[in-house]
Amino acid sequence: MAENKEMTAEEKALLQAKHRQEEAEARNRVRERKARTRRLIQEGAILENVAPSVVNMDLNSLKQELTIRLRGM
């Protein structure tokens, strides 16, 4: 049968620090994901502003059109 051992103060502090680190990393991932989403939305808005015809294109057509145009630069 497994022993029920009390955690020492040092073990509790270490576990607490580990959890704080994990929470901080999770917050950073959320912040980075939100920043990326915002950037992608802004870039899409700029693309629509510069080339209004892209609004009516499906994603594959848009990719092909951009590939063709950007290779010709």
Side-chain angles (χ1 to χ4, degrees):
M1 196 155 110
E3 285 185 34
N4 280 341
K5 175 182 145 184
E6 288 291 318
M7 293 178 72
T8 65
E10 187 176 283
E11 289 172 327
K12 286 181 184 179
L14 190 60
L15 186 60
Q16 192 175 39
K18 179 182 174 188
H19 287 162
R20 275 196 297 265
Q21 178 68 29
E22 289 170 353
E23 289 173 356
E25 289 171 358
R27 282 191 303 273
N28 286 340
R29 283 192 301 273
V30 169
R31 191 176 300 118
E32 289 170 2
R33 187 176 67 245
K34 285 184 178 187
R36 179 178 186 269
T37 298
R38 178 176 169 78
R39 180 181 51 80
L40 292 173
I41 290 169
Q42 289 173 329
E43 290 172 351
I46 291 169
L47 177 61
E48 285 184 0
N49 186 287
V50 172
S53 62
V54 302
V55 173
N56 301 320
M57 290 184 182
D58 62 78
L59 293 178
N60 285 331
S61 298
L62 175 60
K63 182 178 179 181
Q64 290 173 349
E65 183 70 23
L66 288 174
T67 301
I68 291 167
R69 288 179 183 244
L70 293 175
R71 283 189 182 154
M73 295 179 114

